[in-house]
Amino acid sequence: MGGPLGAIIGRYPAAAASGGNEDGRIGGDGGIIRHNRKCRDLVFLIIFIAFWVAMIVNSSFGFNQGNPLRLMYGLDYKGNICGNRHADPDLRELEVRYWLNPNQVYQSGLKNSQFDLADAKSICLMECPIPSEDGINWVCDYPEGDIRLSVDDWIDRDYDYYEYLTTETMNSSLQLQGPCYPVIFPSVNVYWSCQFIARASNVSLKQWQQMGGVDIDENIMIDKTIHRAINSPSAVLKRYMADIWKAGPVLVVCGGILPLFLSIIWLLMIRHFVAGMTWITVILFNALVISVAMLYYRKAGWIGSDALSVVIGESDPYVHISGREINHLHVVAVLMTIVMIISFLSSIAIVRRLLIATSVLKVAAKVIGEVQALIIFPILPYVILAIFYVFWFSAALHLFSSGQILKNDCNVNCCSFDLKSNKVNCDNCCGYSIHYTPHIGISILFHLFGCYWATQFIIACSSTVIAGSVASYYWARGEISQEIPFLPVFSSMKRLLRYNLGSVALGSLIVSIVEWVRFILEALRRRIRHGDPAPVTCIEKLMSTSSQCCLGCIDWTIKSVNRNAYIMIAITGKGFNRASAIATGLIVNNILRIGKVNVIGDVILYLGKLCVSLFCALFAFLMLDTHKYKSAHNKISSPLFPVLVSWGLGYVVATLFFAVVEMSIDTIILSFCQDAEEHQGTAQYAPPLLMATLDGQGEMQRLTQGS
């Protein structure tokens, strides 16, 4: 162990080595925990600062190049984003993309066609047009050139100025070259794109043929082509990101405000009603898991009649259109079923251990009662984290939409009437697409990694401050009023900011790297599995599952070691590596003594954090189920991402506040182990309640004698 820590944190004879006075106590210059410290792991603090500079530069690129409107709306044939007020013409109310030429849509869907749907001529409208019941409706190109109409007049005329056309432009329109195009197929608004329904209007088609119009393909391919484009993986991912943008108020309430109040209430109940909290936590956890699972069943269409609809606005009830979002909800509903079963069986298994958990929580409640500032301290890292997340989410939306809008390079022959030049143009018919360069993907991955590292860093700082405050409480049990520093939380915070930020940066970096290694390996495994058509053998499945389990165990071990290292950093002021070694040695030497109470306490705290986050997810579901998010501009494509983000934010906030109890227990236990090791197996500073918890029918004495 490298020598006793009494000279650092105790008052016994070892203190003489630090300049203690005659009675063996540390002098006034040292005080409890305040010994000769120095800055540790400075290199990693410099790396963390450099990382933040890179984060700001990376985010600046996103703010400069991105436009979140691209995540939700499509592009017209001029490269304008539908709904963009700065486009030419002004498209602020024209948010729905509509393909004018049905034959181009059909051609783009053919198997060996060189014509892509992105090259089919499309414009932005307010709503999807429908065929006339007694004639033929027209949708004409944006008014310009000789068409002397304003955009507002064009909208008021239902985009139809066919009667103003010359003989030449009428003939080109009958050749499906514009500027006006017939509305032959009904269409519905599916995620701001007009989904054609391959059911041509007999009346409109007959009149079109009587007028001498060219043949129009009525194949089901017209329907499938647009459906494939709308449900492509990239389109679905963009919609999920747009859902987060549109559900911003839900994330603020369910990911920020709600978990704050729930966590504070939980801490207050631990402080004043600790005897029943273990039972309440277990019962509430199971009830919330069942509730969230039922809501997923409902949105997946398995129960009730409130399945997710992909259509925006009213549509023909006989037309059924599905999307990838519904399939994803089915998968999550199955996963929630598995979680529900496991949670119920696990709750039954730990019932007999709940009394031990109650005893452990009583120790933490005693600490919180003595150092009452711990209850409100997590509000400070909460505010810092909230500011960071507002910045991060805003930058993430801009980074995801920061591709360049470039004209496609298509080798096809197509002609359309150009109103500005007043002639048919066959040389410039390629459409526009958003192109993402590889460095944008790297920027997004760096941004995601930065979120995780920053979150872990803030949580680690909070944990270290709590550990320092609780350690002050433990090692001054004899003379609290004289030896505990005034406002120990602020004293612990001062030591962290002055000496230990580098060590915390190192610990949080290690956890982040391990998590990202797991993420990258899992992504590679999925890509290989989808790229290889050969069936997966049982041995390959076993190896894949084993590797995932091993990585999960490594991740859990590192997080546990880090947490204990932060405690020893707060107590001793050592660097991260040395503190990890001290903490690990203490745990290994006392594993039989502390293992049972520590594990069951962690389980209950973990269930408590899940209760808070699941309640946030449940409330997010209910908010997203209101009319505001089921219609018009705020309609979300799926509640999946906003609910998951609310759950994640709720869990992070709960982790900040529950760390008060978690770190209190761990700090007290580690301090107890060091105390016992320094004094021949008999802890002299341990509170009576802790001694009673660890003793348990004489077990303490038996284990001590055996060591």
Side-chain angles (χ1 to χ4, degrees), residues 185-223:
F185 298 96
S187 59
V188 292
N189 183 348
V190 177
Y191 301 134
W192 309 106
S193 291
C194 290
Q195 166 71 62
F196 282 7
I197 300 171
R199 191 178 60 194
S201 167
N202 292 330
V203 174
S204 298
L205 186 60
K206 182 177 180 181
Q207 183 164 344
W208 169 258
Q209 293 169 345
Q210 291 174 350
M211 294 174 67
V214 299
D215 291 339
I216 292 179
D217 295 300
E218 301 179 58
N219 195 287
I220 190 67
M221 185 66 69
I222 292 177
D223 185 315

Side-chain angles (χ1 to χ4, degrees), residues 11 87 111 192 539 543 669:
R11 303 177 303 158
K111 187 174 183 180
W192 309 106
I539 296 177
M543 292 177 62
I669 289 177

Side-chain angles (χ1 to χ4, degrees), residues 313-491:
E314 297 182 359
S315 65
D316 188 338
Y318 297 100
V319 175
H320 176 72
I321 302 173
S322 62
R324 284 177 180 263
E325 286 84 353
I326 296 178
N327 295 333
H328 294 166
L329 284 176
H330 289 164
V331 172
V332 176
V334 171
L335 292 176
M336 285 302 302
T337 303
I338 297 173
V339 171
M340 182 170 59
I341 295 172
I342 293 175
S343 66
F344 182 72
L345 296 177
S346 300
S347 300
I348 295 175
I350 66 171
V351 165
R352 305 179 80 181
R353 300 283 185 176
L354 291 183
L355 292 178
I356 299 176
T358 302
S359 301
V360 176
L361 292 178
K362 285 181 179 179
V363 176
K366 178 67 174 176
V367 176
I368 296 173
E370 295 286 350
V371 191
Q372 296 185 7
L374 287 175
I375 295 180
I376 61 172
F377 162 72
I379 294 178
L380 177 60
Y382 166 83
V383 171
I384 296 173
L385 205 57
I387 295 172
F388 167 72
Y389 279 153
V390 169
F391 161 78
W392 187 88
F393 275 113
S394 179
L397 290 171
H398 283 81
L399 280 171
F400 268 92
S401 60
S402 60
Q404 292 181 307
I405 298 177
L406 301 175
K407 195 171 186 64
N408 298 329
D409 183 16
C410 60
N411 298 317
V412 293
N413 295 320
C414 58
C415 301
S416 62
F417 196 92
D418 187 352
L419 287 172
K420 285 187 176 181
S421 61
N422 201 29
K423 65 178 182 179
V424 175
N425 187 349
C426 297
D427 300 328
N428 193 26
C429 63
C430 296
Y432 288 80
S433 298
I434 301 176
H435 294 265
Y436 294 91
T437 57
H439 78 272
I440 294 177
I442 296 173
S443 297
I444 292 173
L445 289 176
F446 177 80
H447 197 67
L448 292 172
F449 176 80
C451 176
Y452 195 83
W453 189 10
T455 301
Q456 290 298 318
F457 178 81
I458 294 172
I459 292 175
C461 287
S462 176
S463 299
T464 306
V465 171
I466 294 169
S469 305
V470 175
S472 298
Y473 161 80
Y474 181 93
W475 291 98
R477 288 300 295 148
E479 301 175 19
I480 296 178
S481 60
Q482 296 180 16
E483 298 212 21
I484 285 189
F486 182 72
L487 295 178
V489 171
F490 293 101
S491 299

Side-chain angles (χ1 to χ4, degrees), residues 622-637:
L622 297 177
M623 288 187 67
L624 293 170
D625 205 33
T626 58
H627 178 73
K628 177 180 179 180
Y629 297 103
K630 296 172 73 173
S631 61
H633 304 281
N634 289 320
K635 178 180 173 67
I636 59 171
S637 65

